[in-house]
Amino acid sequence: MDKKSSLMRIPEAGEKSLRIELILAGLVMGVMTFLPFVGYTYKKARYTLSGMSLISGKTICGGKVVLTPSVPVILMLVAAVAIILAGVLCSVFSADKGMLIAAAASIVSLACNMFFASSISGQISKGKNITVSVGSIIALICGFLVLIWTLWALWKMKVLSALDFMAVPGMLYFFINNYIPMAGIMIAFKKIDYSVGIFKSPWNGLNNFKPLFVSASGGILASDAFKITKNTLLYNIAFIVLGIIVGVVVGICLSDIMSSILQKFFQTSILLPQLISYVIVAYIVYAFFSNDAGLVNHVLGTNINFYSEPKYWPFVLIFINIWKMAGYNGIIFLSSIVGIDKSIYEAASIDGATRWQKIKFITLPLLKPTIMTLFMLQVGRIMYSDFGLFYQVPLDSGALRSVTDTIDTYVYRFLMTMNNIGVSSAASTYQAIVGFILVMVVNSIVRRVDEQNALF
């Protein structure tokens, strides 16, 4: 047996036990669909429904047989069949592939069973006397045991390592926090009725998008979508370009400090603004630009009401962002500069290169991968804005919204102030779609110029 075919396989006796136990577990989970899954009382009559009745849709509701197939229960049966096939796969092909399929199927079974049980418990809380019966409970226990056993077997076969198990909490958080909420995109196309909930609310077509794209004057250039998109994109372009330039300059300056004590002091000092909350920054900015006691008006001897003059705020917001992010970006580039081989600089010094020539012909070219990576990561969030910077720092002044209103502040205002969850969700959907398109376009351009620095 060659190395590839023998890798990640367990002894034949273990594979036989593996096959039998998986097949038995799948059979038990499949048989459970014929046992009572749920019971409830209607007009003093007790009804029990098996998993098979839930799959076929022949369920009793109000004393009548109705067609209401349960998708979670169907997926639970599919998972049971997949576990049986995984047991067969262990003997035909390889144990590791069979165990991976069984582990995935058990996760699906557990998720569907818990979703089914939670929906039933929701009905119980409404006083309908609905209970989960033995079939669902046994299927849940079997799914849990199969998952634990398959993960243990995969670890013994060295398919999974300790690092994989350590990554599970982060993967679960990422899945729960980033992917499950994507189902909420339906809110953008519904007229939400809080009395019946999101799923039962009537569909509203594209009406939630009308406040975004339809203005009082009728022109697209005067619409809210154009204004908030323009502000979001222009600000982020300025933040990305100036942030990278300032970060490179700061990183080079920090790398030229020979004393380790002074270098650590300046690193800490320049990183402090990154750690300051925007609530504190808003008070600092107010101390500078207050109409009555602001430092700027006091020094210049003027009486400018900065919080009602939009023309000053693009410069103020860009300066604040660069001030806060300079230390973070500088340390990123400093770490890359430290990794450059010192012998290259020594060879350049022997050849008579000046400090500027070293930066131009050595430092900057070798920083190109870091610059491109940071650029692509920031482009990935080009349709998102820092809520604290655009909402708290200008103190949500209505007179400044022409230059401070971005997609995030627009969503927040429609959700919290106007209590319009449909338009708020429509704006978020528009933000996600346009952001996705921009990321794909920029990545394709970077891939044509330098394929190695593209994200994908």
Side-chain angles (χ1 to χ4, degrees), residues 128-157:
K128 294 187 178 180
N129 195 25
I130 300 179
T131 57
V132 178
S133 299
V134 63
S136 179
I137 296 174
I138 295 178
L140 178 64
I141 294 174
C142 285
F144 183 75
L145 291 176
V146 169
L147 177 61
I148 297 298
W149 189 75
T150 50
L151 291 178
W152 177 83
L154 288 170
W155 180 71
K156 294 291 288 184
M157 289 185 287

Side-chain angles (χ1 to χ4, degrees), residues 371-389:
I371 293 174
M372 295 301 298
T373 302
L374 193 61
F375 172 77
M376 291 297 298
L377 291 175
Q378 292 181 352
V379 167
R381 294 188 57 83
I382 197 169
M383 287 298 290
Y384 295 85
S385 58
D386 197 320
F387 181 79
L389 176 63

